[in-house]
Amino acid sequence: MANFSVLQLSISVNRQKGRNMDWIPTARSTHLPLRICLIVLLLSLSGCAGSQSILDPAGIQAERIASLFWWMFGGGMLIWIGVVALAGYVIKVRPGKHQPVKSQWLIIGGGVVFPALVLTALLIFGLSIMPETRPGEGERTDIRISVAGEQWWWRVHYQTDNGESVELANEIRLPVGRTALFELTSTNVIHSFWIPALGGKVDMIPGRTNRLLLEPTRTGTFQGACAEYCGTSHAFMRFRVQVMEQQAFDQWLAAQAQPAHTPTTPEAREGRRVFMSNGCASCHTIRGTAADGQRGPDLTHVGSRLSLAAGTLPMAPESFTHWIGHTRDIKPGVVMPRFEVLGQEKLEALAAYLTSLE
Ligand code: CUA
């Protein structure tokens, strides 16, 4: 409000001096547009929080990136206000000829020297953040995870302390307060690994392994996404990240390393039979069974995941029947064919089996 009082004061002083101030909107005329602007601004603020916001950081690297954003935003606002004030001054307050020497200094100073200084300062600040997100060779980290970008899902490998590799898909869990080293690859096209609340984004390039260090600072569930256009269903290439206490994480990883549970209900047993006799096993692995396909996601503990089809559907038996029956309607271009032909009964049995794989 103080700014408006100053604005009104300056308008009335200039009007008294006989200057034409009609270009500045009066308080009454700004009333409605101002209200609309304030409402839009308040609504847009809701995008600053949440599980997929860089402005609501939940990790050390994300905090640094958020601070870089706020410095850029604050600096950008100051420069914008300065430029607009200057433009207003030369157009309306003191129009007419200005001294050529002064104008030249303004152009060189404001148009060359000042931007060069600002951009250099931002570059130095940005470069100073990089070592925190890019680990050096042989750096000690608490946990190592490799993630490969597939079309359009995420193949995730955990390296356990005893040298074992546990494969899962479309979900990452991390212990809070521990550093996690991500090794990012792709076997097809370029994807980009991004968990806005924790850090990133880093490209996943075929033939290369890029490394990323993340250290979450609070527990919670966060959204990850592919940030590089990678084909028809790029927009459906998401994943969840759950940050947990160390003990809960250890239990979760130990459970993921186990072979699949044996189905206990008749419907789930029928689901397993449908799975094994309709070619599912040639594309998917379920550890502890004959299914050892490598093309699609590992389904050993698919029932324990937070979502289905790379963050596209909530985890529920109905999601399995919907997904298996209509893969290509839900995710255009996906490799897995639609299995509507199986019929509702078999799809429901499959769903019961897969849901039981916790
Ligand atoms: Cu993967 Cu976009």
Side-chain angles (χ1 to χ4, degrees), residues 158-234:
Y158 278 78
Q159 315 287 335
T160 62
D161 289 339
N162 50 21
E164 238 182 306
S165 169
V166 179
E167 182 171 327
L168 53 143
N170 304 323
E171 186 166 306
I172 290 167
R173 299 200 188 195
L174 298 171
V176 68
R178 298 272 185 263
T179 51
L181 171 66
F182 287 88
E183 293 173 323
L184 307 167
T185 56
S186 168
T187 53
N188 39 85
V189 297
I190 299 177
H191 303 271
S192 185
F193 182 82
W194 192 26
I195 312 164
L198 297 185
K201 54 189 109 151
V202 171
D203 278 359
M204 311 169 101
I205 301 166
R208 261 188 83 111
T209 301
N210 283 338
R211 291 144 62 88
L212 172 72
L213 208 59
L214 295 179
E215 186 177 334
T217 48
R218 62 180 157 94
T219 56
T221 305
F222 307 98
Q223 306 281 342
C226 178
E228 176 78 35
Y229 181 72
C230 54
T232 321
S233 279
H234 153 74

Side-chain angles (χ1 to χ4, degrees), residues 71-86 110 114-115 117-119 122:
W71 276 104
M72 284 177 69
F73 180 76
M77 282 303 286
L78 281 178
I79 292 169
W80 180 79
I81 290 167
V83 169
V84 170
L86 211 57
F114 183 65
L117 286 175
V118 170
L119 292 175
L122 279 175

Side-chain angles (χ1 to χ4, degrees), residues 150-154 169-170 191 226 230-239 297 307-313 322-338:
E150 303 280 346
Q151 277 173 312
W152 293 270
W153 57 281
W154 310 84
N170 304 323
H191 303 271
C226 178
C230 54
T232 321
S233 279
H234 153 74
F236 299 112
M237 192 170 167
R238 299 195 290 261
F239 60 103
S307 69
L308 189 63
T312 311
L313 299 168
H322 186 44
W323 168 246
I324 299 166
H326 305 90
T327 46
R328 289 176 181 171
D329 303 328
I330 298 166
K331 216 177 210 188
V334 73
V335 175
M336 179 168 153
R338 28 191 298 169

